[in-house]
Amino acid sequence: MTNWRLVHSEASLGWGGQEHRIIAELAGFKKRGGEVWLLAPAESEIFRRAAIAKISTIPLRTDKLHFPFEAIRLARWLRQNQIQILNTHSSRDGWLAGIAGRMACVPLIIRTRHIDVDYPNRWLSRHAYATLADYVMTTSRKITAHFQEMFGLPDDRISTVPTGIDLDFFSPSGKKAQFFPDNKPHVGMISVLRSWKGHATFLQAARLLLDEKFTAHFVIVGEGPMRPRIERQIAELNLGSAVTLTGHREDVPDILRALNVLVVPSTKHEGVPQIGLQALATKTPVVGSDAGGIPEIIRHGETGRIFPANDAKMLAGKILETLADTETTRAMTERGRTLAEAQHGLDRMIEAIDALYLRHLPA
């Protein structure tokens, strides 16, 4: 393990899997003796949580008006602090910190991609991943393949480092969250409330199941910009008494252990979802869509069940199958925990990233 002088940048104001991973990486390298910093807007949730985790923070201004002045300020700071590695994550900080990093001659600039998206102007976007980055790290093999196709990145400029989770924190044994009514199966989603996370499909499947006289309670955990639309759909489908919206919760392991089925119904963009890994680690049965990198961990018939994205009828069927075939489901959860332990521990992720840094940092 090398004691890197390492900076991550993140322009997002929200809090989700991407931001979780950034904090986990910084904390992991700090624990092992590295000097680490976070560049982020002072009003962002990741900035606040980094401070709580005792990670050094530098405020980042991402508005267009201050862009050139901020780039110059950042370049000066990067030089003064002799930063070895700069790891950028979102579009705005990728351009801003990437330009500052080039101005400061930072030895190694990494661009990490967590979700799978298309770019209308591939010629321009390629500069963010080639000109302003020495290497691209992704969280799923599907994102890696897509980025190689879009930008022509050779194998020695991009690779996948799967997300790692705390296997002790996400343990099968421990307290369970309490939901009402507690005498029914609990089927849930845990995610930021974003348009592509598939809440509409989840609620449509809930309506289909209830119409077939299937007794269950549906739980949606998380907060985000789609909450008003989700609330409207609950009302339109007459699901008020069958669905609980909990808002943001920090006791995710307790919630996972309380669920009979976790659903990951994303419609697009998804890399390898952390909530899927967390469910495997807690031995919570999982049904996931075939979007993005979900099938890389929710392996159909092995660690969970997969349905076609946006297909509420198929999702309803997979939920019923998961609850009805208890022996097969239990075997899947056992294999899921084994997969999480073998490939997705937090230490394993930090070691893989450390090796990547060592391999690509100039001598």
Side-chain angles (χ1 to χ4, degrees):
M1 172 64 66
T2 306
N3 296 332
W4 306 117
R5 297 180 65 80
L6 168 66
V7 174
H8 281 247
S9 67
E10 175 55 78
S12 168
L13 301 180
W15 181 252
Q18 178 166 319
E19 293 78 20
H20 270 282
R21 172 160 170 160
I22 293 168
I23 293 293
E25 287 188 34
L26 287 168
F29 280 104
K30 181 180 179 181
K31 183 179 178 181
R32 297 179 182 213
E35 294 190 62
V36 302
W37 293 263
L38 173 73
L39 298 170
E43 66 274 24
S44 65
E45 183 65 14
I46 191 173
F47 191 92
R48 184 183 73 84
R49 290 184 183 246
I52 292 171
K54 296 184 169 32
I55 293 168
S56 298
T57 52
I58 306 295
L60 182 69
R61 298 189 67 169
T62 59
D63 56 287
K64 293 180 181 179
L65 179 64
H66 292 90
F67 189 99
F69 308 104
E70 188 72 347
I72 292 168
R73 181 185 74 85
L74 284 179
R76 185 182 301 118
W77 183 89
L78 292 166
R79 278 196 302 269
Q80 289 173 346
N81 287 276
Q82 300 179 313
I83 299 304
Q84 296 171 285
I85 302 161
L86 171 63
N87 195 327
T88 69
H89 292 268
S90 292
S91 179
R92 287 195 178 187
D93 66 278
W95 286 99
L96 177 58
I99 289 171
R102 287 297 186 224
M103 292 169 63
C105 299
V106 172
L108 178 62
I109 303 178
I110 302 286
R111 181 65 189 272
T112 300
R113 286 308 291 162
H114 303 258
I115 60 174
D116 193 12
V117 295
D118 283 307
Y119 293 87
N121 189 335
R122 292 188 178 185
W123 178 85
L124 178 62
S125 297
R126 189 179 190 279
H127 287 290
Y129 296 97
T131 308
L132 299 181
D134 301 301
Y135 197 84
V136 177
M137 178 166 57
T138 79
T139 61
S140 84
R141 295 188 299 273
K142 186 169 183 179
I143 298 176
T144 294
H146 190 199
F147 269 59
Q148 286 188 294
E149 182 270 323
M150 281 194 295
F151 301 127
L153 297 172
D155 290 343
D156 62 354
R157 291 290 301 276
I158 184 170
S159 66
T160 301
V161 178
T163 294
I165 60 171
D166 187 333
L167 294 168
D168 293 328
F169 187 59
F170 290 98
S171 166
S173 59
K175 190 172 67 172
K176 295 183 179 182
Q178 295 298 312
F179 298 114
F180 299 99
D182 59 7
N183 60 332
K184 297 179 181 179
H186 292 91
V187 181
M189 277 187 69
I190 306 173
S191 77
V192 178
L193 308 186
R194 293 190 177 118
S195 60
W196 48 270
K197 287 294 187 178
H199 293 89
T201 306
F202 178 72
L203 291 172
Q204 289 162 7
R207 183 68 267 169
L208 290 172
L209 289 167
L210 293 172
D211 288 344
E212 292 298 318
K213 310 304 180 188
F214 173 71
T215 303
H217 195 76
F218 301 89
V219 182
I220 294 177
V221 179
E223 198 54 79
M226 293 298 293
R227 185 178 182 115
R229 185 180 297 184
I230 291 168
E231 289 174 335
R232 286 197 299 272
Q233 188 180 9
I234 290 171
E236 290 165 1
L237 294 174
N238 194 26
L239 290 170
S241 62
V243 177
T244 296
L245 281 170
T246 73
H248 177 75
R249 296 275 293 257
E250 293 289 331
D251 57 338
V252 174
D254 299 358
I255 293 171
L256 285 169
R257 288 189 287 261
L259 293 178
N260 299 96
V261 186
L262 175 79
V263 179
V264 187
S266 303
T267 59
K268 57 184 178 179
H269 297 328
E270 197 70 75
V272 170
Q274 289 190 46
I275 192 60
L277 291 170
Q278 292 162 2
L280 297 185
T282 56
K283 296 186 181 179
T284 303
V286 192
V287 175
S289 76
D290 60 359
I294 295 172
E296 293 178 28
I297 57 165
I298 312 304
R299 301 172 181 176
H300 186 61
E302 180 184 346
T303 62
R305 293 173 173 87
I306 292 292
F307 73 98
N310 295 298
D311 191 331
K313 185 176 181 180
M314 285 292 290
L315 171 55
K318 294 301 178 186
I319 292 170
L320 282 175
E321 185 181 317
T322 300
L323 292 169
D325 191 351
T326 55
E327 277 302 304
T328 300
T329 297
R330 187 197 60 77
M332 288 180 183
T333 64
E334 293 292 336
R335 290 191 291 266
R337 175 69 191 189
T338 299
L339 175 66
E341 290 175 342
Q343 298 184 22
H344 294 284
L346 187 57
D347 285 343
R348 185 184 180 94
M349 178 186 76
I350 297 299
E351 288 164 3
I353 296 171
D354 184 66
L356 187 154
Y357 289 164
L358 186 62
R359 189 163 61 249
H360 294 282
L361 190 69

